[in-house]
Amino acid sequence: MSDIFHEVDEDVRRDKAADLWRRYQTPIFVVAFLIVAATGAWSYYQDKRLKAAEAANARYVAAVQLADEGKNAEAAAAFDAIAKDAPKGYAALARIRAAEVRPDKTQALAELNAIGEDPSVDKLTQEIAQLRAALIVLDGDDRQKLERALGPLMVSNGAFRFSAQEWNGLDALFNDDFDEAERVFEQVLNNSDAPQSMRQRASAYKGLLHAKRGPKPAPAAASGGGADGGKINVTPVIEPESGGAMPAGTAPLEASPAK
């Protein structure tokens, strides 16, 4: 009897499995097809993306070569073309390089500032554009304008904050703003997060500053009044033992007030 019940159970399980397969075979085939199709599409996308990046890289290198050869007009046209249809990263870098090779520095500065404020560009590329713009301003010898250009870069989490501080200090030094230059160099020297090489340069810049300015004037001493440096003339009234007035012709004493 147990064998009969076992055979019946086996027949029931087979019937249930066959019924489940008849009911769900179409969805199973669809899901399997979608997985295979998605895998193939992803592989195709990755391959296409890689080829596009390789092509953009080759075009970018060729444009850089033109710029290095001094062919700025051709280089600008090549960078502009890359910026229009290259992948996002190459397009942003091409916009920066195109601005840098413009003969019109006003136009170059405007383009770099636009990239620095473009929300579609990643934060690091924005800061690179701002740093490049600051270089153009630095060449223009406008101290206040440079401070405004470097200001957004000198935030605590800025990727180029130490470079911005260094440029600000050097520009202050070249413009004989010695107090500001010394403040900036001290700030870099005392910041343990600053690169060691930059801290060494800041120390060297302080040496140049001291050589250019000379010894820093000491604070003025407290004055007791008058234009003679705080000294006063006093005539001591000393009577001789025999009495009478001080002998004629005795010079008064020169004394300094107590500190």
Side-chain angles (χ1 to χ4, degrees):
M1 292 293 291
S2 61
D3 292 339
I4 294 174
F5 286 119
H6 181 71
E7 290 178 3
V8 170
D9 288 340
E10 288 292 333
D11 291 340
V12 170
R13 282 195 291 268
R14 280 195 297 271
D15 291 341
K16 287 184 177 180
D19 182 59
L20 288 173
W21 175 250
R22 283 192 298 269
R23 293 174 59 186
Y24 296 109
Q25 62 178 338
T26 299
I28 291 173
F29 280 129
V30 171
V31 171
F33 173 78
L34 290 177
I35 291 174
V36 173
T39 303
W42 177 253
S43 298
Y44 173 77
Y45 169 75
Q46 289 290 86
D47 183 64
K48 185 177 180 180
R49 184 180 179 185
L50 178 61
K51 289 181 178 178
E54 291 175 347
N57 182 69
R59 294 167 62 193
Y60 187 86
V61 170
V64 170
Q65 182 65 32
L66 291 173
D68 291 341
E69 293 173 358
K71 301 176 181 178
N72 291 338
E74 297 177 24
F79 285 126
D80 286 336
I82 295 171
K84 289 179 180 178
D85 56 17
K88 190 174 181 179
Y90 281 101
L93 290 177
R95 288 174 63 188
I96 293 175
R97 291 304 306 269
E100 289 179 333
V101 296
R102 304 283 187 212
D104 186 349
K105 294 305 179 183
T106 302
Q107 180 185 0
L109 184 60
E111 291 183 9
L112 289 171
N113 286 333
I115 298 170
E117 298 173 359
D118 189 346
S120 66
V121 177
D122 64 276
K123 182 65 175 178
L124 181 60
T125 305
Q126 285 181 331
E127 293 188 1
I128 292 174
Q130 292 170 347
L131 196 68
R132 297 294 192 180
L135 275 176
I136 296 176
V137 176
L138 183 63
D139 291 337
D141 198 25
D142 188 330
R143 176 79 185 130
Q144 293 183 348
K145 194 172 182 180
L146 179 66
E147 288 180 331
R148 289 195 298 270
L150 292 175
L153 297 170
M154 292 191 288
V155 295
S156 59
N157 60 345
F160 304 104
R161 61 187 182 280
F162 299 118
S163 295
Q165 289 175 342
E166 183 178 18
W167 292 0
N168 183 40
L170 284 173
D171 188 66
L173 176 60
F174 294 151
N175 286 278
D176 295 339
D177 189 352
F178 299 124
D179 291 339
E180 174 65 10
E182 188 166 31
R183 184 193 68 79
V184 173
F185 297 147
E186 284 288 351
Q187 190 177 26
V188 175
L189 279 170
N190 295 330
N191 193 333
S192 59
D193 293 334
Q196 182 62 28
S197 59
M198 190 168 291
R199 294 167 69 185
Q200 292 174 347
R201 289 200 301 273
S203 179
Y205 296 150
K206 281 191 65 179
L208 291 174
L209 184 153
H210 294 156
K212 188 174 182 181
R213 180 183 60 188
K216 190 172 183 179
S223 175
D228 56 354
K231 293 183 178 181
I232 58 174
N233 291 328
V234 296
T235 304
V237 180
I238 304 175
E239 295 185 1
E241 292 181 359
S242 58
M246 190 73 179
T250 303
L253 297 179
E254 188 179 58
S256 299
K259 295 183 180 179

